[in-house]
Amino acid sequence: MASMKTVNELIAGSVGGAAQVLVGQPLDTIKTRAQIAPSSKGPMDILIRTLQKEGFFALYKGMASPLLGIAGVNSLLFASYGASKRLISPYPDLSLTQIAAAGALAGAANSILASPVEMFKVRMQGQYGSPGDKRLRIVASEMWREWGFKKGIMRGYWVCIVSRRNVYMYAHLIAGYEFAKRKFAEKYGPQIPIWALLASGSVGGVAYWLSCYPLDVVKSRIQLRATPPVGTPVQYILREFKDVLVESGRFSGLFRGLVPSRKIPAAASTFAAFELTREYLEEWTGV
Protein backbone atom coordinates (compact mmCIF):
# COMPACT_ATOMS: atom_id res chain seq x y z
CA MET A 1 0.00 0.00 0.00
CA ALA A 2 2.86 2.35 0.87
CA SER A 3 4.44 1.71 -2.55
CA MET A 4 1.19 2.61 -4.33
CA LYS A 5 0.94 5.78 -2.27
CA THR A 6 4.47 6.67 -3.40
CA VAL A 7 3.50 6.13 -7.05
CA ASN A 8 0.49 8.42 -6.59
CA GLU A 9 2.74 11.05 -4.98
CA LEU A 10 5.26 10.79 -7.82
CA ILE A 11 2.57 11.33 -10.46
CA ALA A 12 0.81 14.11 -8.55
CA GLY A 13 4.19 15.77 -7.90
CA SER A 14 4.91 15.80 -11.64
CA VAL A 15 1.59 17.53 -12.34
CA GLY A 16 2.28 20.02 -9.56
CA GLY A 17 5.75 20.69 -11.00
CA ALA A 18 4.35 21.45 -14.45
CA ALA A 19 1.81 23.86 -12.93
CA GLN A 20 4.59 25.52 -10.95
CA VAL A 21 6.66 26.25 -14.06
CA LEU A 22 3.80 27.48 -16.21
CA VAL A 23 2.58 29.89 -13.55
CA GLY A 24 5.86 30.96 -12.00
CA GLN A 25 8.39 31.14 -14.83
CA PRO A 26 7.81 34.81 -15.85
CA LEU A 27 8.25 36.05 -12.28
CA ASP A 28 11.23 33.75 -11.81
CA THR A 29 12.94 35.26 -14.87
CA ILE A 30 12.48 38.77 -13.46
CA LYS A 31 13.70 37.61 -10.03
CA THR A 32 16.84 36.00 -11.44
CA ARG A 33 17.71 39.02 -13.56
CA ALA A 34 17.18 41.33 -10.57
CA GLN A 35 19.53 39.15 -8.51
CA ILE A 36 22.36 39.23 -11.04
CA ALA A 37 22.02 42.81 -12.34
CA PRO A 38 23.20 45.24 -9.62
CA SER A 39 22.65 48.26 -11.89
CA SER A 40 18.96 47.58 -12.50
CA LYS A 41 16.38 50.07 -11.22
CA GLY A 42 14.19 47.31 -9.88
CA PRO A 43 11.88 44.48 -10.99
CA MET A 44 9.47 46.74 -12.89
CA ASP A 45 12.35 48.23 -14.88
CA ILE A 46 13.54 44.73 -15.75
CA LEU A 47 10.03 43.68 -16.81
CA ILE A 48 9.57 46.71 -19.08
CA ARG A 49 13.00 46.38 -20.70
CA THR A 50 12.51 42.64 -21.22
CA LEU A 51 9.14 43.15 -22.93
CA GLN A 52 10.44 46.03 -25.07
CA LYS A 53 13.64 44.38 -26.23
CA GLU A 54 12.82 40.67 -26.24
CA GLY A 55 9.03 40.32 -26.23
CA PHE A 56 6.62 38.52 -23.93
CA PHE A 57 7.98 35.02 -24.46
CA ALA A 58 11.39 36.09 -23.18
CA LEU A 59 9.77 35.82 -19.74
CA TYR A 60 9.63 32.08 -20.35
CA LYS A 61 13.31 31.89 -21.29
CA GLY A 62 14.91 28.79 -19.82
CA MET A 63 11.55 27.11 -19.29
CA ALA A 64 12.53 23.87 -21.02
CA SER A 65 14.96 22.93 -18.27
CA PRO A 66 12.55 23.41 -15.34
CA LEU A 67 9.52 22.12 -17.27
CA LEU A 68 11.31 18.82 -17.81
CA GLY A 69 13.34 18.88 -14.63
CA ILE A 70 10.91 20.26 -12.05
CA ALA A 71 8.42 17.53 -12.90
CA GLY A 72 11.12 15.10 -11.73
CA VAL A 73 12.20 17.37 -8.89
CA ASN A 74 8.66 17.70 -7.54
CA SER A 75 8.04 13.99 -7.98
CA LEU A 76 11.06 13.33 -5.80
CA LEU A 77 10.07 16.09 -3.37
CA PHE A 78 6.51 14.90 -2.73
CA ALA A 79 7.43 11.21 -2.75
CA SER A 80 10.24 11.93 -0.26
CA TYR A 81 7.86 14.03 1.81
CA GLY A 82 5.27 11.24 1.91
CA ALA A 83 7.91 8.65 2.78
CA SER A 84 9.38 10.94 5.44
CA LYS A 85 5.97 11.42 7.07
CA ARG A 86 5.47 7.66 7.21
CA LEU A 87 8.99 7.25 8.63
CA ILE A 88 8.46 9.89 11.33
CA SER A 89 5.09 8.58 12.43
CA PRO A 90 2.83 5.68 11.46
CA TYR A 91 -0.18 7.86 12.23
CA PRO A 92 -1.64 10.26 9.61
CA ASP A 93 -2.17 13.25 11.93
CA LEU A 94 1.32 14.68 12.35
CA SER A 95 2.09 17.80 14.36
CA LEU A 96 3.39 20.88 12.51
CA THR A 97 6.83 20.19 13.98
CA GLN A 98 6.77 16.69 12.51
CA ILE A 99 5.49 18.11 9.21
CA ALA A 100 8.41 20.58 9.13
CA ALA A 101 10.86 17.74 9.86
CA ALA A 102 9.42 15.69 6.98
CA GLY A 103 9.68 18.74 4.72
CA ALA A 104 13.32 19.21 5.73
CA LEU A 105 14.14 15.59 4.83
CA ALA A 106 12.35 15.99 1.51
CA GLY A 107 14.30 19.19 0.83
CA ALA A 108 17.60 17.41 1.43
CA ALA A 109 16.67 14.70 -1.07
CA ASN A 110 15.37 17.32 -3.50
CA SER A 111 18.79 19.07 -3.67
CA ILE A 112 20.23 16.26 -5.77
CA LEU A 113 17.95 16.89 -8.76
CA ALA A 114 17.23 20.57 -8.18
CA SER A 115 20.79 21.83 -8.63
CA PRO A 116 21.31 20.98 -12.34
CA VAL A 117 17.78 22.15 -13.20
CA GLU A 118 18.42 25.49 -11.48
CA MET A 119 21.86 25.74 -13.10
CA PHE A 120 20.55 25.59 -16.65
CA LYS A 121 17.53 27.76 -15.92
CA VAL A 122 19.64 30.56 -14.44
CA ARG A 123 22.12 30.42 -17.33
CA MET A 124 19.28 30.74 -19.84
CA GLN A 125 17.58 33.56 -17.93
CA GLY A 126 20.88 35.47 -17.78
CA GLN A 127 20.81 35.92 -21.58
CA TYR A 128 19.24 39.16 -22.74
CA GLY A 129 18.09 38.53 -26.29
CA SER A 130 21.37 39.26 -28.11
CA PRO A 131 22.23 37.50 -31.39
CA GLY A 132 24.72 35.35 -29.48
CA ASP A 133 22.15 33.86 -27.10
CA LYS A 134 22.50 30.09 -26.82
CA ARG A 135 19.93 27.32 -26.80
CA LEU A 136 19.58 25.08 -23.78
CA ARG A 137 21.40 22.14 -25.35
CA ILE A 138 24.37 24.38 -26.20
CA VAL A 139 24.48 25.78 -22.65
CA ALA A 140 24.37 22.28 -21.17
CA SER A 141 26.99 20.97 -23.61
CA GLU A 142 29.40 23.83 -22.91
CA MET A 143 29.04 23.57 -19.15
CA TRP A 144 29.77 19.85 -19.34
CA ARG A 145 32.66 20.18 -21.79
CA GLU A 146 34.38 23.16 -20.11
CA TRP A 147 33.82 22.44 -16.43
CA GLY A 148 32.49 18.91 -16.06
CA PHE A 149 29.77 17.56 -13.84
CA LYS A 150 30.82 18.90 -10.45
CA LYS A 151 31.99 22.43 -11.34
CA GLY A 152 29.62 22.89 -14.28
CA ILE A 153 26.37 20.97 -14.11
CA MET A 154 26.19 20.86 -10.30
CA ARG A 155 27.43 24.39 -9.61
CA GLY A 156 25.35 25.82 -6.79
CA TYR A 157 24.86 22.37 -5.25
CA TRP A 158 27.17 23.10 -2.34
CA VAL A 159 25.35 26.35 -1.61
CA CYS A 160 22.25 24.24 -1.01
CA ILE A 161 24.08 21.55 0.98
CA VAL A 162 26.52 23.55 3.11
CA SER A 163 23.97 26.23 3.99
CA ARG A 164 21.12 23.69 4.22
CA ARG A 165 19.18 26.08 1.98
CA ASN A 166 16.78 23.46 0.65
CA VAL A 167 16.33 21.94 4.10
CA TYR A 168 15.19 25.23 5.64
CA MET A 169 13.19 26.33 2.62
CA TYR A 170 11.16 23.17 2.22
CA ALA A 171 10.59 22.80 5.94
CA HIS A 172 9.05 26.29 5.94
CA LEU A 173 7.23 25.78 2.63
CA ILE A 174 5.42 22.63 3.66
CA ALA A 175 4.84 23.64 7.28
CA GLY A 176 3.44 27.02 6.16
CA TYR A 177 1.16 25.32 3.65
CA GLU A 178 -0.03 22.72 6.14
CA PHE A 179 -0.65 25.35 8.83
CA ALA A 180 -2.86 27.45 6.55
CA LYS A 181 -4.63 24.39 5.16
CA ARG A 182 -5.51 23.19 8.66
CA LYS A 183 -6.89 26.60 9.56
CA PHE A 184 -9.15 26.49 6.49
CA ALA A 185 -10.16 22.90 7.34
CA GLU A 186 -11.37 24.07 10.76
CA LYS A 187 -13.91 26.26 8.96
CA TYR A 188 -14.75 24.30 5.81
CA GLY A 189 -14.05 20.70 6.80
CA PRO A 190 -11.57 18.30 5.16
CA GLN A 191 -12.72 19.14 1.61
CA ILE A 192 -11.61 22.76 1.51
CA PRO A 193 -12.34 24.92 -1.58
CA ILE A 194 -9.78 25.25 -4.35
CA TRP A 195 -9.24 28.92 -3.53
CA ALA A 196 -8.30 27.86 0.02
CA LEU A 197 -5.75 25.39 -1.38
CA LEU A 198 -4.30 28.23 -3.47
CA ALA A 199 -4.23 30.53 -0.46
CA SER A 200 -2.54 27.85 1.66
CA GLY A 201 0.09 27.36 -1.02
CA SER A 202 0.69 31.10 -1.09
CA VAL A 203 1.32 31.10 2.66
CA GLY A 204 3.83 28.31 2.15
CA GLY A 205 5.50 30.29 -0.65
CA VAL A 206 5.93 33.35 1.58
CA ALA A 207 7.43 31.21 4.36
CA TYR A 208 9.70 29.52 1.80
CA TRP A 209 11.39 32.70 0.62
CA LEU A 210 11.49 34.56 3.91
CA SER A 211 13.32 31.61 5.50
CA CYS A 212 16.55 32.17 3.56
CA TYR A 213 16.14 34.24 0.39
CA PRO A 214 19.70 35.72 0.53
CA LEU A 215 21.08 32.23 -0.08
CA ASP A 216 19.12 32.09 -3.33
CA VAL A 217 20.73 35.35 -4.43
CA VAL A 218 24.17 33.87 -3.70
CA LYS A 219 23.29 30.63 -5.52
CA SER A 220 22.11 32.44 -8.67
CA ARG A 221 25.26 34.59 -8.82
CA ILE A 222 27.55 31.58 -8.38
CA GLN A 223 25.71 29.68 -11.09
CA LEU A 224 25.94 32.56 -13.54
CA ARG A 225 29.64 33.33 -13.11
CA ALA A 226 31.80 32.73 -16.20
CA THR A 227 34.07 30.43 -14.19
CA PRO A 228 33.43 28.11 -11.24
CA PRO A 229 34.01 29.43 -7.70
CA VAL A 230 37.43 28.95 -6.12
CA GLY A 231 38.13 27.63 -2.62
CA THR A 232 35.99 25.61 -0.25
CA PRO A 233 32.17 25.97 -0.40
CA VAL A 234 32.16 27.94 2.86
CA GLN A 235 34.83 30.32 1.53
CA TYR A 236 33.16 31.13 -1.76
CA ILE A 237 29.68 31.38 -0.24
CA LEU A 238 30.95 33.97 2.27
CA ARG A 239 32.90 35.75 -0.49
CA GLU A 240 29.76 36.01 -2.63
CA PHE A 241 27.82 37.43 0.31
CA LYS A 242 30.51 40.08 0.72
CA ASP A 243 30.48 40.91 -3.01
CA VAL A 244 26.71 41.44 -2.95
CA LEU A 245 27.00 43.82 0.01
CA VAL A 246 29.86 45.75 -1.61
CA GLU A 247 28.11 46.07 -4.98
CA SER A 248 24.74 47.12 -3.57
CA GLY A 249 26.17 49.20 -0.74
CA ARG A 250 23.50 47.97 1.65
CA PHE A 251 22.10 44.84 3.25
CA SER A 252 18.95 45.02 1.11
CA GLY A 253 21.07 43.83 -1.83
CA LEU A 254 20.68 40.32 -0.42
CA PHE A 255 16.92 40.61 -0.98
CA ARG A 256 17.08 41.94 -4.56
CA GLY A 257 14.28 40.41 -6.65
CA LEU A 258 12.23 39.27 -3.65
CA VAL A 259 9.08 41.27 -4.49
CA PRO A 260 8.31 39.61 -7.86
CA SER A 261 9.24 36.20 -6.54
CA ARG A 262 7.48 33.45 -8.41
CA LYS A 263 7.36 31.18 -5.37
CA ILE A 264 4.12 32.59 -4.01
CA PRO A 265 1.87 32.00 -7.07
CA ALA A 266 3.99 28.99 -8.06
CA ALA A 267 3.58 27.36 -4.65
CA ALA A 268 -0.15 28.07 -4.76
CA SER A 269 -0.53 26.35 -8.13
CA THR A 270 1.86 23.51 -7.20
CA PHE A 271 0.02 22.46 -4.06
CA ALA A 272 -3.43 22.88 -5.63
CA ALA A 273 -2.44 20.77 -8.66
CA PHE A 274 -0.75 18.19 -6.42
CA GLU A 275 -3.69 17.85 -4.02
CA LEU A 276 -6.33 17.65 -6.76
CA THR A 277 -4.31 15.09 -8.76
CA ARG A 278 -3.59 13.02 -5.66
CA GLU A 279 -7.29 13.02 -4.69
CA TYR A 280 -8.20 11.81 -8.18
CA LEU A 281 -5.55 9.08 -8.04
CA GLU A 282 -6.67 7.98 -4.57
CA GLU A 283 -10.21 7.54 -5.88
CA TRP A 284 -8.97 5.70 -8.95
CA THR A 285 -6.49 3.39 -7.19
CA GLY A 286 -8.27 3.11 -3.86
CA VAL A 287 -5.08 4.01 -1.97
Side-chain angles (χ1 to χ4, degrees):
M1 181 178 292
S3 61
M4 194 65 237
K5 281 182 175 292
T6 301
V7 171
N8 288 351
E9 288 158 355
L10 285 167
I11 296 172
S14 297
V15 175
Q20 174 182 327
V21 175
L22 292 172
V23 171
Q25 185 68 10
L27 290 173
D28 190 63
T29 298
I30 297 170
K31 179 214 57 153
T32 299
R33 290 185 171 187
Q35 289 176 340
I36 62 179
S39 61
S40 72
K41 296 178 181 178
M44 187 56 66
D45 176 57
I46 291 173
L47 172 62
I48 293 171
R49 284 192 293 157
T50 298
L51 293 175
Q52 287 177 340
K53 295 182 178 180
E54 303 171 65
F56 174 77
F57 288 104
L59 296 172
Y60 283 90
K61 186 171 289 185
M63 188 177 76
S65 170
L67 190 58
L68 296 174
I70 286 181
V73 167
N74 272 31
S75 290
L76 176 61
L77 174 67
F78 283 108
S80 298
Y81 172 56
S84 297
K85 287 198 298 182
R86 292 187 283 274
L87 179 66
I88 290 172
S89 174
Y91 304 104
D93 297 325
L94 275 68
S95 68
L96 285 177
T97 301
Q98 292 173 317
I99 289 290
L105 291 174
N110 175 264
S111 298
I112 300 169
L113 280 180
S115 187
V117 171
E118 284 285 313
M119 178 72 206
F120 298 138
K121 175 177 67 66
V122 168
R123 301 290 288 197
M124 293 296 291
Q125 290 171 330
Q127 300 182 126
Y128 285 82
S130 68
D133 279 3
K134 301 169 184 175
R135 294 182 179 274
L136 175 60
R137 62 182 177 82
I138 302 298
V139 170
S141 176
E142 287 182 352
M143 294 303 294
W144 175 269
R145 185 176 65 252
E146 295 177 13
W147 307 112
F149 181 74
K150 183 179 178 181
K151 292 184 177 181
I153 306 302
M154 295 298 286
R155 190 187 303 177
Y157 174 74
W158 286 110
V159 178
C160 299
I161 296 301
V162 172
S163 65
R164 296 180 177 84
R165 166 189 177 270
N166 280 26
V167 173
Y168 296 136
M169 281 183 159
Y170 284 103
H172 283 80
L173 170 68
I174 293 176
Y177 166 73
E178 195 65 35
F179 170 79
K181 182 183 171 185
R182 290 180 182 187
K183 288 297 182 182
F184 282 118
E186 290 176 4
K187 182 175 181 179
Y188 296 102
Q191 297 297 320
I192 65 175
I194 293 178
W195 68 264
L197 281 177
L198 292 169
S200 300
S202 298
V203 172
V206 172
Y208 176 98
W209 273 141
L210 292 181
S211 63
C212 46
Y213 184 83
L215 289 169
D216 192 71
V217 175
V218 169
K219 177 196 66 66
S220 294
R221 287 169 58 97
I222 288 173
Q223 289 177 321
L224 200 64
R225 287 199 176 279
T227 58
V230 177
T232 66
V234 173
Q235 288 174 333
Y236 64 69
I237 290 171
L238 292 176
R239 186 166 58 244
E240 200 68 43
F241 267 112
K242 181 180 177 181
D243 288 346
V244 173
L245 294 174
V246 170
E247 290 172 10
S248 63
R250 55 188 185 276
F251 185 74
S252 60
L254 291 169
F255 291 89
R256 186 183 295 122
L258 176 62
V259 174
S261 171
R262 53 120 180 160
K263 199 60 191 181
I264 297 172
S269 59
T270 299
F271 280 110
F274 171 78
E275 292 282 10
L276 293 173
T277 303
R278 187 178 62 174
E279 286 178 10
Y280 171 79
L281 291 172
E282 285 178 351
E283 292 179 3
W284 188 51
T285 61
V287 178

